[in-house]
Amino acid sequence: MIKVSQNQIKDAKSFGKFYGHVVSTKTMTYAELCKHMAEHNSVYGEDVCLGVANKLQSCLLEQLLEGKKVQFGDLGTFYLSVKGTGVDKEEDYNIGVCINGLFLRFAPNRQDVNDLSSKTLKKKATLVNVKDLIEPKAKKPGDGEDQGGTDDQGDGPVNNDGGDAPVNP
């Protein structure tokens, strides 16, 4: 679902423009996901799915902390990255001081059956404006044909919740 909001940052070049942002109806818990997996005609129950998922989670973290990237089937690859500050001389670099954060990242697969590139996801998704769910209106000619959007240049993706456009939702 997409929520449209206007950029309210007065100093921004895009002040007053409207952007789309992905909104979620709910955050599915880990246990709910395991229950959902078990409901897909699986011979394994919710408890087995939860056990496998728990082991997968701990092993994934273990391998990442050992310095490995972890490919997660055709979905993509998990890896770690850091954010920090630089120093002028290598001998002045102190990991404890210069590393400000360690982050878990995910790079989606961009090939084969599960191509998770932005372009392919946009084609697969049925994007709905949240406002239309709250205030249904009569369809205008052309509504629904192009369910994706572009940025203000007309060539980029609908702004995702990664915050590509400076908007105050």
Side-chain angles (χ1 to χ4, degrees):
M1 286 193 287
I2 304 295
K3 178 180 179 185
V4 178
S5 57
Q6 189 176 29
N7 181 332
Q8 299 296 318
I9 303 170
K10 292 186 178 169
D11 296 337
K13 187 177 176 183
S14 56
F15 174 73
K17 291 191 179 194
F18 290 85
Y19 291 89
H21 301 272
V22 172
V23 292
S24 300
T25 57
K26 169 185 174 31
T27 298
M28 180 177 257
T29 68
Y30 194 65
E32 288 170 332
L33 178 60
C34 290
K35 181 179 181 185
H36 177 80
M37 288 168 43
E39 291 171 351
H40 275 271
N41 296 323
S42 174
V43 296
Y44 303 108
E46 183 179 345
D47 58 337
V48 173
C49 289
L50 186 59
V52 169
N54 282 339
K55 183 55 89 174
L56 177 65
Q57 178 180 299
S58 65
C59 288
L60 176 76
L61 183 58
E62 175 190 4
Q63 295 303 306
L64 289 167
L65 293 173
E66 288 182 5
K68 298 173 185 165
K69 291 181 180 182
V70 179
Q71 186 177 5
F72 197 76
D74 289 335
L75 196 59
T77 303
F78 289 96
Y79 64 98
L80 296 176
S81 71
V82 296
K83 181 176 182 180
T85 55
V87 294
D88 292 329
K89 295 185 247 170
E90 184 178 0
E91 57 268 12
D92 293 339
Y93 194 87
N94 179 315
I95 291 174
V97 173
C98 295
I99 300 294
N100 302 347
L102 180 64
F103 302 95
L104 176 61
R105 304 286 190 199
F106 179 77
N109 185 9
R110 299 186 185 283
Q111 56 189 334
D112 300 328
V113 179
N114 289 328
D115 178 358
L116 298 175
S117 64
S118 173
K119 190 175 194 176
T120 303
L121 282 174
K122 184 179 165 189
K123 285 179 187 176
K124 290 180 180 181
T126 302
L127 301 176
V128 177
N129 190 329
V130 172
K131 187 175 180 182
D132 292 340
L133 296 175
I134 298 167
E135 304 169 14
K137 61 183 179 184
K139 279 196 166 226
K140 298 177 195 168
D143 273 0
E145 291 174 17
D146 179 12
Q147 296 179 356
T150 58
D151 63 9
D152 56 326
Q153 269 73 65
D155 60 353
V158 170
N159 183 29
N160 59 25
D161 43 326
D164 293 337
V167 177
N168 254 349

